[in-house]
Amino acid sequence: EVQLVESGGGLIQPGGSLRLSCAASGFTVISNYMSWVRQAPGKGLEWVSLIYSDSSTYYADSVKGRFTISRDNSKNTLYLQMNSLRAEDTAVYYCASGAAFDIWGQGTVVTVSS
Amino acid sequence: QAVVAQEPSLTVSPGGTVTLTCGSSTGAVTSGHYPYWFQLKPGQAPRTLIYDTSKKHSWTPARFSGSLLGGKAALTLSGARPEDEADYYCLLSYSGARSWVFGGGTKLTVL
């Protein structure tokens, strides 16, 4: 079955770090565009980051310099390393695959609060 | 960063037709923005309906279609059903697909 499963969310204090994982099955992350998208409580969707098949990476201005997207091909997993977290980073984080955003995970909740 | 604008809310009658639009602060939306449309229901992950302006996934109901209309991307729903009540988001690509921006979303009511 083709699917994405996110993990790693939780409650973290402002200024802290967290690493989200997105495990893929049924396809390989290396051969696909992989994205992170988030939705803050009561807000709309926000594109966060993207890694292309050639390993080039791009970020929204709101997370540039704080977040890092990467993948481990041996584990077929996408990651989002989040540093210097702020209250406004509180959101459900989704990973999605493909240039057509074919496949979405169910999301993992990140809460940044003291 | 560009701002992508959508109607905050729209209402359509069951069986009716409605068009949602997606505009860019940088000017006309073109096929080079690779417009996407997503459907989002409470408690569910987003579902991609349209990509690359007008292409459909296998799961996209035939009543949904994408196009460019008057300098904007458009999502047209023909023959609305109660289950189409949801939030709809467009997504545009900028700077040679190095930056992506979602619209603020349209809350569609079928009533």
Side-chain angles (χ1 to χ4, degrees), chain A residues 44 47 52 58 99-101 104-105, chain B residues 36 45 48 57 89 97-98 100 102:
Chain A
W47 173 74
Y52 283 114
Y58 302 98
F101 287 79
W104 288 77
Chain B
Y36 292 75
T48 310
H57 283 295
Y89 291 87
R98 291 188 291 273
W100 297 79
F102 277 97

Side-chain angles (χ1 to χ4, degrees), chain A residues 33 37 39 43-47 50 52 58-62 94 98-107, chain B residues 1 36 38 40 43-48 51 57 59 87 89 91 93 96-104:
Chain A
Y33 299 3
V37 173
Q39 184 177 31
K43 303 292 186 181
L45 297 176
E46 181 185 15
W47 173 74
L50 169 66
Y52 283 114
Y58 302 98
Y59 302 90
D61 289 345
S62 59
Y94 298 98
F101 287 79
D102 313 52
I103 306 162
W104 288 77
Q106 282 303 303
Chain B
Q1 181 167 299
Y36 292 75
F38 303 88
L40 187 57
Q44 296 183 19
R47 183 171 77 144
T48 310
Y51 63 100
H57 283 295
W59 55 79
D87 294 331
Y89 291 87
L91 175 67
S93 167
R98 291 188 291 273
S99 176
W100 297 79
V101 182
F102 277 97

Side-chain angles (χ1 to χ4, degrees), chain B:
Chain B
Q1 181 167 299
V3 175
V4 177
Q6 298 183 243
E7 298 85 0
S9 64
L10 290 170
T11 300
V12 61
S13 300
T17 297
V18 64
T19 297
L20 289 66
T21 67
C22 175
S24 173
S25 62
T26 62
V29 175
T30 70
S31 58
H33 289 96
Y34 305 104
Y36 292 75
W37 290 94
F38 303 88
Q39 180 188 64
L40 187 57
K41 295 183 177 181
Q44 296 183 19
R47 183 171 77 144
T48 310
L49 296 175
I50 300 289
Y51 63 100
D52 199 7
T53 305
S54 59
K55 296 177 181 175
K56 299 182 183 182
H57 283 295
S58 58
W59 55 79
T60 304
R63 59 186 180 274
F64 288 96
S65 62
S67 65
L68 296 176
L69 193 64
K72 297 181 179 181
L75 176 70
T76 299
L77 170 58
S78 303
R81 297 184 180 182
E83 60 263 35
D84 298 327
E85 188 161 291
D87 294 331
Y88 292 83
Y89 291 87
C90 67
L91 175 67
L92 300 180
S93 167
Y94 293 88
S95 303
R98 291 188 291 273
S99 176
W100 297 79
V101 182
F102 277 97
T106 295
K107 182 176 183 61
L108 181 66
T109 301
V110 181
L111 190 62

Side-chain angles (χ1 to χ4, degrees), chain A residues 5-22:
Chain A
V5 178
E6 301 98 334
S7 61
L11 175 63
I12 188 77
Q13 291 189 339
S17 297
L18 211 54
R19 188 178 79 159
L20 305 183
S21 300
C22 171

